[in-house]
Amino acid sequence: MKEKIRAGRNRTITLSQDEIPLLKQNLITEDSLATCTSFENKTINADVLVALKYIPDSFADLIIIDPPYNLTKNFNGNIFRASSDADYDEYLATWFPLVCKKLKPNGSLYICGDWKCTSSLQRAVEKELTVLNRITWQREKGRGAKTNWKNGMEDIWYAVKNPHDYYFDVEAVKVKRRVIAPYTENGKPKDWQQTDEGNFRLTYPSNFWDDISIPFWSMPENTDHPTQKPEKLYAKLILASSRPGDMIFDPFLGSGTASVTAKKLGRKYCGIELNQEYSLLCEKRLQLAETNPQIQGYKDGVFWERNSGR
């Protein structure tokens, strides 16, 4: 494949030929699954149905899933083709119940989807777990449409094994928003803070998120994966539904956002990815996280509004 010519300011993470042999040494492959003694902080380059046979049940405190949506999409040569709703339901049934077995009794699960497959996801999740909410987040990138509304939103279904015993830390995921019309009481700020940078309020998060930026060429987390999820998006899920040191598991790892974000936030991680190039990109991002643990849009323990410069 001819190498892409990129602008000098393009920060997209790529692989050099010199890096590949060293990064490959970090991967667990289908050939080495049977002899692997620990899946902690590992990237598994294998088919998900094969790898799940070796992952222990009750393995993960938090599972984050970004499966192929019911769209025709080329994942670096692995083409997933759109199908009927019934066929997509059957596809989910081949692996989703198996993934749920890897969740601890008090664990939480998030699964991503778009408008076309979200009803199938809801049906699949409700068969195995208790749904607590549906998050909708604004996906500002995407092509316009002349005969339909532009698709600018995606869903994340939030579910738990036990609705009476699960972890959720709302204080860890507050959003810092600029106060446009500050309200005072007895001459003092009420529920907001006055700073040299402006007036801000820490707000409780809702199930609609409009502060997420999709990775693009000038962001240091960007890769060539066609459906890469932002680290900021996953940071919200990880901080809300896991403690430091917990195990985060992603059975459709892609270029590694779940593992990388988990590492940056002091969690353990494990992910499965079929495509070797994406697996290697994950390993490179994990190495980069050693020296750069920053998550764009998350600073000083709070999430900032989009385009706030943080």
Side-chain angles (χ1 to χ4, degrees):
M1 181 180 292
K2 187 177 181 181
E3 187 174 348
K4 293 182 180 180
I5 299 175
R6 304 179 193 270
R9 294 181 297 126
N10 192 313
R11 303 176 74 182
T12 300
I13 299 170
T14 58
L15 298 168
S16 70
Q17 290 301 312
D18 291 339
E19 293 174 311
I20 291 175
L22 293 175
L23 293 172
K24 277 185 178 180
Q25 295 177 14
N26 298 332
L27 300 179
I28 298 174
T29 64
E30 289 193 9
D31 293 335
S32 59
L33 274 168
T35 57
C36 183
T37 57
S38 173
F39 296 99
E40 183 176 310
N41 298 337
K42 296 294 186 179
T43 302
I44 304 171
N45 177 207
D47 180 90
V48 65
L49 292 177
V50 174
L52 284 173
K53 296 176 184 178
Y54 296 92
I55 301 290
D57 289 349
S58 300
F59 171 71
D61 298 279
L62 172 63
I63 296 177
I64 301 175
I65 312 174
D66 183 23
Y69 297 176
N70 196 8
L71 302 167
T72 298
K73 183 72 70 172
N74 186 341
F75 294 99
N76 200 28
N78 296 319
I79 299 176
F80 187 91
R81 300 191 183 280
S83 62
S84 67
D85 288 348
D87 286 344
Y88 191 74
D89 287 350
E90 289 185 13
Y91 162 72
L92 294 175
T94 63
W95 58 263
F96 185 74
L98 300 175
V99 169
C100 289
K101 291 181 179 180
K102 311 309 172 184
L103 191 62
K104 290 182 179 178
N106 61 348
S108 301
L109 179 146
Y110 294 92
I111 185 167
C112 305
D114 69 349
W115 69 271
K116 190 174 182 182
C117 69
T118 195
S119 57
S120 292
L121 297 180
Q122 181 182 10
R123 288 191 292 270
V125 175
E126 286 181 337
K127 289 178 181 178
E128 306 295 330
L129 306 171
T130 299
V131 173
L132 296 186
N133 214 325
R134 183 187 70 179
I135 298 162
T136 298
W137 62 283
Q138 186 177 18
R139 189 183 186 281
E140 83 283 5
K141 284 178 69 175
R143 297 179 180 177
K146 293 183 178 180
T147 59
N148 200 345
W149 304 102
K150 176 182 175 179
N151 183 22
M153 304 287 182
E154 291 194 12
D155 288 337
I156 304 176
W157 289 95
Y158 167 41
V160 297
K161 266 202 172 180
N162 184 348
H164 306 293
D165 181 19
Y166 64 94
Y167 179 79
F168 190 82
D169 184 3
V170 73
E171 294 294 330
V173 286
K174 286 187 173 180
V175 179
K176 197 163 189 176
R177 297 188 182 278
R178 190 175 297 275
V179 178
I180 306 299
Y183 178 74
T184 61
E185 189 174 80
N186 298 323
K188 297 182 179 181
K190 181 175 174 57
D191 298 328
W192 57 277
Q193 184 179 17
Q194 193 172 24
T195 72
D196 293 338
E197 297 176 312
N199 301 326
F200 294 94
R201 174 184 289 116
L202 281 178
T203 63
Y204 280 85
S206 72
N207 61 353
F208 172 67
W209 298 351
D210 61 354
D211 62 321
I212 305 295
S213 294
I214 300 295
F216 55 94
W217 62 268
S218 67
M219 293 173 64
E221 69 187 80
N222 189 54
T223 72
D224 284 328
H225 191 283
T227 61
Q228 181 181 345
K229 291 295 185 289
E231 291 179 9
K232 183 180 181 182
L233 181 75
Y234 278 15
K236 289 174 180 270
L237 310 180
I238 290 169
L239 287 168
S241 294
S242 72
R243 299 174 177 87
D246 279 355
M247 173 59 70
I248 314 302
F249 176 52
D250 183 348
F252 292 89
L253 186 60
S255 60
T257 296
S259 291
V260 172
T261 309
K263 179 173 182 173
K264 289 183 176 184
L265 295 173
R267 275 69 171 170
K268 294 177 286 190
Y269 56 86
C270 177
I272 302 170
E273 172 53 42
L274 177 63
N275 185 272
Q276 185 183 84
E277 183 175 340
Y278 296 153
S279 299
L280 296 173
L281 281 170
C282 173
E283 285 300 315
K284 181 168 181 176
R285 292 175 67 190
L286 287 166
Q287 289 186 359
L288 293 171
E290 294 281 351
T291 55
N292 181 17
Q294 295 181 342
I295 295 172
Q296 185 163 322
Y298 177 70
K299 186 179 180 182
D300 301 327
V302 295
F303 290 93
W304 292 74
E305 291 178 286
R306 185 194 294 158
N307 300 328
S308 65
R310 292 165 176 82

